[in-house]
Amino acid sequence: MKCSFVILTWNRAPMLEKCLEMLVSSIKSKKECEIIIYDNLSPDNSKEIIVDFQKKYSQVISITTVFGEENIGLSAYKKLFSLAKADIIIEVDDDILQFPSQIDETFINYFDKFKDFGYL
């Protein structure tokens, strides 16, 4: 696995839906990447959007979802990072609505050229 895209969300269903759709369409090597989503007990319909997204794309790309039982704030990143299986972990904010084409290749190429960097 090359890239893990991790997303922490809370109460941003409309943006999250668009974010997920755009992210998956921008990933070139879907079989070598994964998307991990942590919902921080959103009061809106984020859970439904995540479940629908997983049903729609689980045959295309590996998707892991976690639905928190309480809102633990940014501490949820610890859980997200621990679930990541790839060499490169990419944190994606749930309100990003556009991504560059072949976003996975961009990160892979960067870290191949700049091996001393551990965080971007």
Side-chain angles (χ1 to χ4, degrees):
M1 182 108 15
K2 292 187 176 182
C3 294
S4 295
F5 294 89
V6 299
I7 302 171
L8 173 60
T9 192
W10 183 78
N11 203 30
R12 288 191 175 175
M15 287 184 280
L16 176 64
E17 184 172 29
K18 176 107 175 158
C19 173
L20 293 171
E21 292 284 335
M22 297 304 288
L23 175 61
V24 78
S25 70
S26 72
I27 297 171
K28 178 182 177 186
S29 303
K30 292 174 180 58
K31 294 296 179 190
E32 297 179 15
C33 296
E34 67 178 342
I35 298 173
I36 307 169
I37 309 161
Y38 188 105
D39 179 45
N40 225 346
L41 197 63
S42 297
D44 64 3
N45 66 325
S46 292
K47 185 173 185 176
E48 293 167 15
I49 289 186
I50 294 166
V51 168
D52 289 346
F53 173 77
Q54 190 167 25
K55 285 179 188 173
K56 183 175 181 181
Y57 289 105
S58 64
Q59 299 299 316
V60 175
I61 189 168
S62 174
I63 301 168
T64 302
T65 57
V66 179
F67 299 102
E69 295 180 11
E70 63 179 309
N71 186 329
I72 59 172
L74 297 177
S75 296
Y77 280 115
K78 185 175 182 179
K79 178 70 172 172
L80 279 167
F81 295 152
S82 73
L83 293 171
K85 298 176 192 140
D87 297 328
I88 300 170
I89 301 172
I90 303 158
E91 185 271 322
V92 176
D93 288 340
D94 60 357
D95 61 350
I96 296 176
L97 304 179
Q98 286 199 343
F99 297 89
S101 177
Q102 301 178 5
I103 189 170
D104 52 325
E105 293 295 319
T106 300
F107 282 99
I108 291 165
N109 291 337
Y110 182 88
F111 283 111
D112 279 346
K113 289 180 184 168
F114 299 100
K115 297 184 186 302
D116 291 339
F117 284 83
Y119 180 79
L120 175 65

